[in-house]
Amino acid sequence: MIYCRAEDTSGGGGGVSNVERLDKRLAATGKWSRKEARALVREGRVLVDGRPCRVPEEKVEEGAAVTVDGAAVSSGGPVYLMLHKPAGVVSSTDEPGERTVLDLLGEEYRNLGLFPAGRLDKDTEGLILLTNDGPLAHRLLSPRHHVDKVYYMEVDGVLDQDDVEAVRAGVVLGDGYACLPGELELLSNGSAHITIQEGKYHQVKRMLASRGKRVTYLKRVGFGPLALDEDLPKGAFRPLTGEELESLFE
Ligand code: URA
């Protein structure tokens, strides 16, 4: 798998135009990263108006017929990206004065109506699904669907079996809210994986605070059937694979 980074987007033309670089046009479908798109073009698998084009930077007209391996390529379909959110970036789409998850994407992804399916705190790292598929995001986030979210965390203090049992029973937060039962898997005295099915504001931090422990590091490593790609560097993103997409829709 080839990964995308915002730095990869240099040399992208700019300005309003009815022509677009071929690699950008392919990447905008969300099926391939910009680098994968370039590789497809160089391999001769892409035809523009029936003619092979091996130049990724080639400008193509908006109305040109583009095919990959004989299949028509159309932009405008749903897009699904896995992003490794770094700390210091907010997971909203537009927040003045802040770097948002959309700022990490290449410009070809900017106008596709992408939004994060669920939020992470500014200081939390890890897996965010970016999509423009509202119904899917709604299903994944609805409490009725009990989608697992798995976090790796480090705390100030020592985690023990009492914490495991409290999480399993459903922690009661400081404001009296009783969390759904979760799972705590101890990794060391001060680190664990925690699996929860809700996404309340600061939920993991508040759960641990009610156990008298402060979360010092938090990273989401799983969301439903998706696992954070260990090879995806912080700040990088990639389209979901066919297998990942299938698992999401199951
Ligand atoms: N729980 C938190 O406390 N913060 C997050 O970012 C996600 C879950």
Side-chain angles (χ1 to χ4, degrees):
M1 179 58 70
I2 301 166
Y3 303 114
C4 328
R5 274 189 172 283
E7 301 88 81
D8 289 343
T9 60
S10 57
V16 178
S17 158
N18 58 356
V19 294
E20 192 175 25
R21 281 170 56 136
L22 184 53
D23 54 353
K24 282 180 66 182
R25 166 99 176 254
L26 294 170
T29 63
K31 288 187 184 148
W32 305 282
S33 68
R34 182 83 80 90
K35 284 182 183 170
E36 287 170 323
R38 284 193 201 113
L40 286 174
V41 175
R42 292 201 182 101
E43 286 161 19
R45 295 163 62 185
V46 179
L47 304 188
V48 178
D49 288 332
R51 281 189 287 275
C53 176
R54 287 177 177 268
V55 184
E57 300 80 20
E58 184 80 22
K59 298 282 201 306
V60 294
E61 297 285 340
E62 200 178 286
V66 178
T67 60
V68 175
D69 296 335
V73 167
S74 62
S75 37
V79 172
Y80 307 90
L81 303 176
M82 178 186 291
L83 170 76
H84 187 166
K85 177 191 168 308
V89 170
V90 294
S91 44
S92 48
T93 51
D94 182 22
E95 203 165 316
E98 296 285 1
R99 193 161 189 230
T100 73
V101 285
L102 292 191
D103 293 330
L104 298 173
L105 305 184
E107 64 180 277
E108 65 267 42
Y109 293 104
R110 296 270 162 79
N111 299 315
L112 300 178
L114 293 173
F115 58 89
R119 294 191 170 200
L120 295 177
D121 297 337
K122 185 172 173 180
D123 61 353
T124 300
E125 297 180 350
L127 169 53
I128 287 212
L129 171 67
L130 290 163
T131 184
N132 50 10
D133 183 340
L136 177 80
H138 182 74
R139 282 202 301 283
L140 290 170
L141 297 176
S142 157
R144 284 190 301 127
H145 287 98
H146 298 284
V147 172
D148 280 346
K149 289 119 193 154
V150 187
Y151 297 87
Y152 167 79
M153 66 175 177
E154 292 173 8
V155 303
D156 222 0
V158 177
L159 293 162
D160 58 24
Q161 205 52 34
D162 285 350
D163 296 315
V164 173
E165 273 147 36
V167 170
R168 190 171 294 146
V171 170
V172 178
L173 301 182
D175 61 4
Y177 177 80
C179 298
L180 287 176
E183 283 294 325
L184 187 66
E185 183 202 348
L186 304 182
L187 300 173
S188 71
N189 279 347
S191 68
H193 278 135
I194 184 165
T195 305
I196 57 173
Q197 296 183 331
E198 300 165 287
K200 305 267 176 232
Y201 181 65
H202 289 339
Q203 181 155 350
V204 173
K205 291 173 186 162
R206 287 159 69 212
M207 286 169 77
L208 271 294
S210 81
R211 300 291 308 155
K213 280 142 207 174
R214 189 172 67 87
V215 173
T216 54
Y217 176 76
L218 192 60
K219 174 178 179 176
R220 183 155 69 190
V221 294
F223 180 48
L226 302 179
L228 179 65
D229 183 337
E230 306 228 320
D231 295 327
L232 195 58
K234 279 183 211 171
F237 65 96
R238 64 158 171 81
L240 293 191
T241 64
E243 243 171 62
E244 288 169 337
L245 267 177
E246 260 173 44
S247 67
L248 264 190
F249 281 95
E250 255 165 30

